[in-house]
Amino acid sequence: MRIDGRHYRTIWTEDDGRTVMTFDQRLLPHELRLVALKSLEDAAQAIETMLVRGAPLIGATAAYGVCLALRDDPSDEGIERAFERLIRTRPTAVNLRWALERMRSALRNQPHGGRLERAYAEAARICDEDVAICKAIGDHGLALIRAAAQRKGGGPVNVLTHCNAGWLATIDWGTATAPIYRAQEEGIDVHVWVDETRPRNQGAALTAFELGQQGIAHTVIADNVGGHLMQHGMVDLCIVGTDRTTRRGDVCNKIGTYLKALAAADNGVPFYVALPSTTIDWTIEDGLREVPIEQRDGSELTRVSGRTADGRIETVEITPAGSPAGNWAFDVTPARYVTGLVTERGVCPATAEGLAAVFPEQAES
Ligand SMILES: CSC[C@H]1O[C@H](OP(=O)(O)O)[C@H](O)[C@@H]1O
């Protein structure tokens, strides 16, 4: 997407692959800082600290982490060490395992001499494919926004989204934001309710930054406001992302998504999940019991960072010293609360049959 008029992907290589460039998302929207990842450890820590975040971008960063590791050790043992270091960075987004297994299968049984070039080519393919997948999700999701506009017969289509499933979570376009960007391109009047998304504020900081840069009307709201808006007819549809969706359509996404889905169901608001095929976990069925939910440090909840009036970034405590804090980073929305899954191949029901019809090659394997 564009920042200050210049087009960027969220990750790219420089210096013949010795450097992997990305944005430090922890500093947005206050500072646009490019970061150079130069080693396996740099890539691993970028994922663990959420310098980069979002399922597809986590996968791409891990893929380039393997490339950086192979510069030092292209052996099978070197590949395994890279895999083991990266797989334990964050447990929930399935793109991490998907990307690492794809890199490993592309490299094993290859002569050591050609492994480095092949690794970078595979990581670049993962990124290029993600751009195409997200653009296709945008095209299919556009039809949903267009239909909402026709139903309304006037005024902006009000879309509610949670967290950041945008360009910053992927390589370009985003997943949940891609239909919004395509609607803007088609001249459809769209407005976005942006859930702030405590505690890391991916919505207030990242989605609001993205939409502002693209000139899309939006309003940042507290996480607890969405249900009220739906009760008063102020939300035409919800579109959220996912970090892992099971083969029967249970959706794991940022904490708070489940509560939004409940409110949508109670108020008859369509609730869509933008779902790249790279985020489907075909090995599991029951999301509540089988998806690992990341628990992050409580300090992410008890502290808030922001910019002071004179431009300094400050962090303050918002709870009494010593108050324990629980920080579950994701929850699971059962498929029954999902109106439809917006995949790169089209919109399908959140059912095993729906996903099998769209991805028959996966369902049969
Ligand atoms: C398109 S994946 C976006 C997905 O990732 C976010 O989690 P995090 O910021 O912790 O990596 C959130 O669940 C988004 O929906």
Side-chain angles (χ1 to χ4, degrees):
M1 296 312 283
R2 296 191 177 285
I3 300 178
D4 299 332
R6 177 183 168 187
H7 182 264
Y8 289 95
R9 283 187 173 189
T10 51
I11 192 167
W12 67 94
T13 61
E14 290 182 358
D15 189 17
D16 194 26
R18 293 178 184 83
T19 304
V20 175
M21 299 300 295
T22 190
F23 298 96
D24 187 338
Q25 298 194 25
R26 301 170 300 178
L27 302 179
L28 288 172
H30 306 307
E31 182 183 348
L32 186 65
R33 182 183 296 177
L34 289 181
V35 171
L37 307 179
K38 295 178 182 280
S39 68
L40 165 63
E41 194 58 24
D42 283 353
Q45 290 184 20
I47 297 168
E48 284 170 336
T49 62
M50 294 177 68
L51 184 152
V52 297
R53 31 65 52 199
L57 182 55
I58 288 171
T61 305
Y64 278 117
V66 172
C67 298
L68 293 169
L70 262 63
R71 304 190 75 90
D72 297 327
D73 181 357
S75 68
D76 287 356
E77 294 74 19
I79 293 171
E80 287 312 307
R81 270 193 296 277
F83 189 105
E84 291 310 318
R85 175 64 185 95
L86 289 160
I87 196 67
R88 66 171 189 263
T89 51
R90 293 186 74 190
T92 302
V94 72
N95 297 60
L96 176 60
R97 178 171 291 278
W98 169 83
L100 289 172
E101 287 177 348
R102 175 163 163 176
M103 293 296 287
R104 182 163 61 179
S105 60
L107 296 169
R108 299 301 294 267
N109 310 316
Q110 292 294 320
H112 288 199
R115 283 183 171 181
L116 193 59
E117 183 180 2
R118 187 176 178 91
Y120 278 97
E122 197 65 24
R125 263 193 294 275
I126 287 173
C127 291
D128 292 343
E129 289 169 12
D130 183 73
V131 172
I133 285 170
C134 289
K135 170 68 168 53
I137 288 173
D139 292 337
H140 294 300
L142 166 63
L144 300 173
I145 296 178
R146 185 185 289 122
Q150 288 161 353
R151 281 197 302 274
K152 286 194 78 163
V157 175
N158 290 302
V159 181
L160 183 143
T161 193
H162 190 70
C163 198
N164 173 255
W167 160 68
L168 286 164
T170 65
I171 308 309
D172 204 338
W173 286 102
T175 57
T177 56
I180 296 165
Y181 294 139
R182 289 287 295 113
Q184 181 192 43
E185 288 182 342
E186 296 284 312
I188 297 173
D189 187 4
V190 63
H191 165 267
V192 184
W193 296 113
V194 176
D195 273 359
E196 62 177 337
T197 316
R198 289 276 294 141
R200 293 292 300 243
N201 300 318
Q202 290 92 324
L206 303 179
T207 302
F209 171 75
E210 277 193 38
L211 298 178
Q213 286 288 331
Q214 308 312 320
I216 290 176
H218 61 281
T219 306
V220 178
I221 53 176
D223 290 325
N224 298 324
V225 169
H228 168 75
L229 298 178
M230 293 185 214
Q231 287 174 319
H232 292 272
M234 298 168 74
V235 179
D236 297 303
L237 71 162
C238 298
I239 308 178
V240 300
T242 177
D243 295 81
R244 190 186 300 231
T245 292
T246 74
R247 65 172 180 263
R248 77 177 183 194
D250 289 349
V251 172
C252 178
N253 194 48
K254 182 55 52 191
I255 193 77
T257 303
Y258 169 52
L259 296 179
K260 247 358 87 63
L262 288 177
D266 189 49
N267 292 281
V269 174
F271 189 87
Y272 288 100
V273 176
L275 171 64
S277 53
T278 54
T279 309
I280 301 172
D281 184 345
W282 294 100
T283 69
I284 63 172
E285 184 166 89
D286 186 331
L288 275 178
R289 282 156 185 71
E290 299 183 82
V291 175
I293 299 297
E294 179 182 23
Q295 287 193 255
R296 296 184 65 87
D297 191 88
S299 63
E300 293 185 349
L301 201 65
T302 63
R303 294 175 187 153
V304 174
S305 296
R307 180 175 55 189
T308 62
D310 60 1
R312 287 176 295 106
I313 302 296
E314 276 191 357
T315 299
V316 296
E317 293 285 349
I318 59 172
T319 55
S323 287
N327 186 9
W328 287 265
F330 298 95
D331 62 21
V332 174
T333 300
R336 63 181 179 273
Y337 294 114
V338 178
T339 307
L341 300 170
V342 188
T343 78
E344 65 268 28
R345 294 186 186 174
V347 181
C348 72
T351 62
E353 297 76 17
L355 281 169
V358 172
F359 299 103
E361 75 281 7
Q362 286 291 347
E364 287 153 11
S365 61

